[in-house]
mmCIF file of all heavy atoms in Angstrom:
data_model
loop_
_atom_site.group_PDB
_atom_site.id
_atom_site.type_symbol
_atom_site.label_atom_id
_atom_site.label_comp_id
_atom_site.label_asym_id
_atom_site.label_seq_id
_atom_site.Cartn_x
_atom_site.Cartn_y
_atom_site.Cartn_z
ATOM 1 N N LEU A 253 4.006 21.064 1.499
ATOM 2 C CA LEU A 253 3.368 22.383 1.578
ATOM 3 C C LEU A 253 4.013 23.385 0.626
ATOM 4 O O LEU A 253 3.322 24.215 0.031
ATOM 5 C CB LEU A 253 3.434 22.918 3.013
ATOM 6 C CG LEU A 253 2.565 22.199 4.049
ATOM 7 C CD1 LEU A 253 2.880 22.727 5.446
ATOM 8 C CD2 LEU A 253 1.094 22.351 3.724
ATOM 9 N N GLN A 254 5.322 23.329 0.466
ATOM 10 C CA GLN A 254 6.028 24.282 -0.399
ATOM 11 C C GLN A 254 5.626 24.116 -1.861
ATOM 12 O O GLN A 254 5.697 25.070 -2.630
ATOM 13 C CB GLN A 254 7.542 24.126 -0.227
ATOM 14 C CG GLN A 254 8.028 24.627 1.108
ATOM 15 C CD GLN A 254 9.407 24.126 1.467
ATOM 16 O OE1 GLN A 254 10.021 23.355 0.733
ATOM 17 N NE2 GLN A 254 9.905 24.562 2.615
ATOM 18 N N ALA A 255 5.184 22.931 -2.226
ATOM 19 C CA ALA A 255 4.743 22.684 -3.600
ATOM 20 C C ALA A 255 3.298 23.151 -3.815
ATOM 21 O O ALA A 255 2.800 23.110 -4.936
ATOM 22 C CB ALA A 255 4.868 21.201 -3.935
ATOM 23 N N ALA A 256 2.638 23.589 -2.731
ATOM 24 C CA ALA A 256 1.232 24.018 -2.814
ATOM 25 C C ALA A 256 1.078 25.350 -2.079
ATOM 26 O O ALA A 256 0.723 25.368 -0.893
ATOM 27 C CB ALA A 256 0.328 22.956 -2.211
ATOM 28 N N PRO A 257 1.336 26.459 -2.750
ATOM 29 C CA PRO A 257 1.230 27.763 -2.091
ATOM 30 C C PRO A 257 -0.137 28.024 -1.441
ATOM 31 O O PRO A 257 -0.227 28.691 -0.413
ATOM 32 C CB PRO A 257 1.493 28.755 -3.222
ATOM 33 C CG PRO A 257 2.257 27.985 -4.242
ATOM 34 C CD PRO A 257 1.779 26.569 -4.129
ATOM 35 N N TRP A 258 -1.205 27.502 -2.023
ATOM 36 C CA TRP A 258 -2.534 27.676 -1.440
ATOM 37 C C TRP A 258 -2.605 27.074 -0.039
ATOM 38 O O TRP A 258 -3.308 27.605 0.840
ATOM 39 C CB TRP A 258 -3.611 27.058 -2.328
ATOM 40 C CG TRP A 258 -3.461 25.573 -2.474
ATOM 41 C CD1 TRP A 258 -2.827 24.903 -3.476
ATOM 42 C CD2 TRP A 258 -3.937 24.571 -1.573
ATOM 43 N NE1 TRP A 258 -2.869 23.551 -3.255
ATOM 44 C CE2 TRP A 258 -3.551 23.314 -2.087
ATOM 45 C CE3 TRP A 258 -4.647 24.606 -0.382
ATOM 46 C CZ2 TRP A 258 -3.842 22.119 -1.447
ATOM 47 C CZ3 TRP A 258 -4.951 23.402 0.259
ATOM 48 C CH2 TRP A 258 -4.551 22.176 -0.286
ATOM 49 N N ALA A 259 -1.887 25.955 0.195
ATOM 50 C CA ALA A 259 -1.901 25.306 1.508
ATOM 51 C C ALA A 259 -1.183 26.169 2.541
ATOM 52 O O ALA A 259 -1.639 26.293 3.688
ATOM 53 C CB ALA A 259 -1.261 23.928 1.419
ATOM 54 N N LEU A 260 -0.068 26.783 2.121
ATOM 55 C CA LEU A 260 0.649 27.689 3.022
ATOM 56 C C LEU A 260 -0.238 28.867 3.395
ATOM 57 O O LEU A 260 -0.282 29.280 4.560
ATOM 58 C CB LEU A 260 1.945 28.168 2.369
ATOM 59 C CG LEU A 260 3.022 27.097 2.146
ATOM 60 C CD1 LEU A 260 4.150 27.646 1.295
ATOM 61 C CD2 LEU A 260 3.551 26.578 3.475
ATOM 62 N N GLU A 261 -0.963 29.402 2.409
ATOM 63 C CA GLU A 261 -1.867 30.525 2.670
ATOM 64 C C GLU A 261 -2.992 30.118 3.624
ATOM 65 O O GLU A 261 -3.440 30.911 4.437
ATOM 66 C CB GLU A 261 -2.469 31.032 1.359
ATOM 67 C CG GLU A 261 -1.467 31.736 0.463
ATOM 68 C CD GLU A 261 -2.048 32.094 -0.901
ATOM 69 O OE1 GLU A 261 -3.292 32.025 -1.075
ATOM 70 O OE2 GLU A 261 -1.263 32.425 -1.798
ATOM 71 N N ARG A 262 -3.452 28.883 3.516
ATOM 72 C CA ARG A 262 -4.541 28.391 4.362
ATOM 73 C C ARG A 262 -4.076 28.242 5.813
ATOM 74 O O ARG A 262 -4.843 28.481 6.741
ATOM 75 C CB ARG A 262 -5.026 27.049 3.799
ATOM 76 C CG ARG A 262 -6.106 26.343 4.543
ATOM 77 C CD ARG A 262 -7.480 26.865 4.354
ATOM 78 N NE ARG A 262 -8.028 26.798 3.029
ATOM 79 C CZ ARG A 262 -9.308 26.645 2.789
ATOM 80 N NH1 ARG A 262 -10.156 26.491 3.791
ATOM 81 N NH2 ARG A 262 -9.781 26.661 1.586
ATOM 82 N N LEU A 263 -2.806 27.859 6.001
ATOM 83 C CA LEU A 263 -2.298 27.631 7.354
ATOM 84 C C LEU A 263 -1.700 28.881 7.995
ATOM 85 O O LEU A 263 -1.649 28.979 9.222
ATOM 86 C CB LEU A 263 -1.252 26.513 7.336
ATOM 87 C CG LEU A 263 -1.779 25.119 6.990
ATOM 88 C CD1 LEU A 263 -0.637 24.112 6.948
ATOM 89 C CD2 LEU A 263 -2.831 24.673 7.988
ATOM 90 N N ALA A 264 -1.232 29.831 7.193
ATOM 91 C CA ALA A 264 -0.555 31.020 7.724
ATOM 92 C C ALA A 264 -1.364 31.779 8.778
ATOM 93 O O ALA A 264 -0.792 32.236 9.776
ATOM 94 C CB ALA A 264 -0.145 31.946 6.579
ATOM 95 N N PRO A 265 -2.678 31.937 8.634
ATOM 96 C CA PRO A 265 -3.435 32.650 9.673
ATOM 97 C C PRO A 265 -3.401 31.966 11.052
ATOM 98 O O PRO A 265 -3.751 32.564 12.051
ATOM 99 C CB PRO A 265 -4.868 32.676 9.131
ATOM 100 C CG PRO A 265 -4.728 32.497 7.661
ATOM 101 C CD PRO A 265 -3.518 31.630 7.471
ATOM 102 N N HIS A 266 -2.966 30.730 11.083
ATOM 103 C CA HIS A 266 -2.916 29.969 12.333
ATOM 104 C C HIS A 266 -1.499 29.925 12.895
ATOM 105 O O HIS A 266 -1.174 29.031 13.697
ATOM 106 C CB HIS A 266 -3.476 28.566 12.111
ATOM 107 C CG HIS A 266 -4.877 28.567 11.606
ATOM 108 N ND1 HIS A 266 -5.965 28.825 12.413
ATOM 109 C CD2 HIS A 266 -5.374 28.417 10.352
ATOM 110 C CE1 HIS A 266 -7.069 28.795 11.699
ATOM 111 N NE2 HIS A 266 -6.742 28.553 10.433
ATOM 112 N N ALA A 267 -0.679 30.866 12.498
ATOM 113 C CA ALA A 267 0.707 30.927 12.969
ATOM 114 C C ALA A 267 0.729 30.959 14.492
ATOM 115 O O ALA A 267 -0.056 31.659 15.132
ATOM 116 C CB ALA A 267 1.399 32.150 12.389
ATOM 117 N N GLY A 268 1.630 30.185 15.061
ATOM 118 C CA GLY A 268 1.783 30.123 16.511
ATOM 119 C C GLY A 268 0.934 29.045 17.160
ATOM 120 O O GLY A 268 1.130 28.724 18.329
ATOM 121 N N LYS A 269 -0.001 28.465 16.434
ATOM 122 C CA LYS A 269 -0.850 27.413 17.004
ATOM 123 C C LYS A 269 -0.134 26.066 16.915
ATOM 124 O O LYS A 269 0.659 25.831 16.014
ATOM 125 C CB LYS A 269 -2.204 27.360 16.299
ATOM 126 C CG LYS A 269 -3.036 28.606 16.549
ATOM 127 C CD LYS A 269 -4.395 28.502 15.940
ATOM 128 C CE LYS A 269 -5.184 29.771 16.219
ATOM 129 N NZ LYS A 269 -6.507 29.728 15.608
ATOM 130 N N THR A 270 -0.474 25.207 17.859
ATOM 131 C CA THR A 270 0.192 23.908 17.952
ATOM 132 C C THR A 270 -0.843 22.790 17.876
ATOM 133 O O THR A 270 -1.902 22.874 18.496
ATOM 134 C CB THR A 270 0.978 23.801 19.274
ATOM 135 O OG1 THR A 270 1.956 24.834 19.300
ATOM 136 C CG2 THR A 270 1.676 22.460 19.402
ATOM 137 N N VAL A 271 -0.507 21.763 17.103
ATOM 138 C CA VAL A 271 -1.358 20.578 17.002
ATOM 139 C C VAL A 271 -0.587 19.383 17.557
ATOM 140 O O VAL A 271 0.612 19.228 17.316
ATOM 141 C CB VAL A 271 -1.801 20.304 15.536
ATOM 142 C CG1 VAL A 271 -0.627 20.078 14.624
ATOM 143 C CG2 VAL A 271 -2.755 19.121 15.471
ATOM 144 N N HIS A 272 -1.294 18.565 18.329
ATOM 145 C CA HIS A 272 -0.737 17.325 18.860
ATOM 146 C C HIS A 272 -1.365 16.181 18.072
ATOM 147 O O HIS A 272 -2.591 16.022 18.068
ATOM 148 C CB HIS A 272 -1.060 17.199 20.355
ATOM 149 C CG HIS A 272 -0.687 15.882 20.936
ATOM 150 N ND1 HIS A 272 -1.445 15.267 21.892
ATOM 151 C CD2 HIS A 272 0.357 15.050 20.707
ATOM 152 C CE1 HIS A 272 -0.893 14.119 22.235
ATOM 153 N NE2 HIS A 272 0.201 13.962 21.515
ATOM 154 N N VAL A 273 -0.554 15.392 17.395
ATOM 155 C CA VAL A 273 -1.026 14.261 16.606
ATOM 156 C C VAL A 273 -0.661 12.990 17.365
ATOM 157 O O VAL A 273 0.520 12.716 17.593
ATOM 158 C CB VAL A 273 -0.387 14.244 15.194
ATOM 159 C CG1 VAL A 273 -0.913 13.064 14.395
ATOM 160 C CG2 VAL A 273 -0.641 15.554 14.473
ATOM 161 N N ALA A 274 -1.683 12.233 17.757
ATOM 162 C CA ALA A 274 -1.469 10.995 18.503
ATOM 163 C C ALA A 274 -1.945 9.823 17.663
ATOM 164 O O ALA A 274 -3.099 9.769 17.242
ATOM 165 C CB ALA A 274 -2.230 11.038 19.825
ATOM 166 N N CYS A 275 -1.041 8.894 17.402
ATOM 167 C CA CYS A 275 -1.366 7.690 16.621
ATOM 168 C C CYS A 275 -0.681 6.509 17.284
ATOM 169 O O CYS A 275 0.526 6.299 17.104
ATOM 170 C CB CYS A 275 -0.917 7.856 15.180
ATOM 171 S SG CYS A 275 -1.275 6.402 14.182
#
Side-chain angles (χ1 to χ4, degrees):
L253 290 173
Q254 289 163 358
W258 63 265
L260 293 171
E261 290 174 13
R262 178 78 63 149
L263 293 178
H266 302 284
K269 293 184 180 178
T270 300
V271 60
H272 172 217
V273 181
C275 179

